[in-house]
Amino acid sequence: MSQKLLLSAKEIDIILHRLACQLIENHTHFKDTVLIGIQPRGTFLADRIKKILLEEYQVDNIKVGHLDITFYRDDFRRGEKTLEANKTHIDFVVEDKRVVFIDDVLYTGRSIRAALTAVQSFGRPQEIELLTLIDRRFSRHLPIQPNYRGRQVDAINQEKVKVNWEENEGKDAVYLIDN
């Protein structure tokens, strides 16, 4: 197994600031906008974007939630591996809000499909957008595209994209791993 560094911590920081600025351009005051990180790994990105918006750009009143999609996945109970649920933490209603789903890697699109179903438990959004750090554009099973993307990666065959977050792995980095 070999791995190639795709993004360093500095490059990730630059991309996160660009994504935050794009959100500001499209949502200005965030009055009717909520950010929802998709469990498990989109929550690190959502929290990091919130921190940048608050500290660097003084955008306050940002609502951020974490959404678990485990029981909404179409592969739930299909494999031998038991899926473990994460916690959903959404302490606001999404009714008539502009929702921005946030996930670290957009691969097949199945996680986003599950998130679209799961979020309905919290109301009917006015609009849903997608922000992702990595877009694996040639791997889609569903017609889902991000509104905001950090970097496109063309991974082929058995290659995987692994995003490491400082909060979880001790250092920010994105790797392309060849099995």
Side-chain angles (χ1 to χ4, degrees), residues 5-62:
L5 181 67
L6 293 178
L7 295 173
S8 67
K10 176 132 179 92
E11 291 168 317
I12 291 171
D13 188 56
I14 291 167
I15 288 170
L16 294 182
H17 279 79
R18 177 174 48 82
L19 291 170
C21 287
Q22 289 174 341
L23 285 172
I24 292 169
E25 286 176 15
N26 291 331
H27 297 272
T28 314
H29 49 73
F30 289 80
K31 178 180 168 236
D32 295 317
T33 300
V34 297
L35 308 179
I36 298 180
I38 298 174
Q39 287 279 20
R41 306 199 48 89
T43 60
F44 299 114
L45 179 55
D47 293 342
R48 192 76 71 83
I49 293 285
K50 177 184 178 182
K51 182 178 179 184
I52 290 170
L53 289 170
L54 285 170
E55 294 177 5
E56 304 288 328
Y57 300 103
Q58 288 72 49
V59 178
D60 46 1
N61 197 27
I62 300 171

Side-chain angles (χ1 to χ4, degrees), residues 99-165:
V99 172
V100 180
F101 283 147
I102 299 178
D103 207 0
D104 62 344
V105 178
L106 175 57
Y107 182 34
T108 63
R110 292 184 184 281
S111 292
I112 305 308
R113 190 216 48 84
L116 289 167
T117 303
V119 78
Q120 297 298 313
S121 299
F122 298 91
R124 184 174 185 260
Q126 174 189 352
E127 174 184 338
I128 298 176
E129 296 179 327
L130 175 59
L131 180 149
T132 186
L133 180 64
I134 302 294
D135 176 12
R136 289 188 57 172
R137 64 183 175 156
F138 295 135
S139 306
R140 215 76 79 235
H141 294 177
L142 299 169
I144 292 173
Q145 300 300 322
N147 302 84
Y148 312 93
R149 79 172 48 91
R151 175 79 49 95
Q152 282 185 330
V153 174
D154 299 332
I156 57 172
N157 301 327
Q158 300 301 319
E159 294 176 327
K160 295 184 178 181
V161 175
K162 173 75 167 103
V163 178
N164 289 354
W165 294 106

Side-chain angles (χ1 to χ4, degrees), residues 71-85:
F71 301 113
Y72 296 91
R73 295 181 57 91
D74 60 3
D75 59 355
F76 180 67
R77 295 190 191 196
R78 295 189 100 204
E80 292 180 23
K81 180 183 171 190
T82 303
L83 296 176
E84 292 186 29

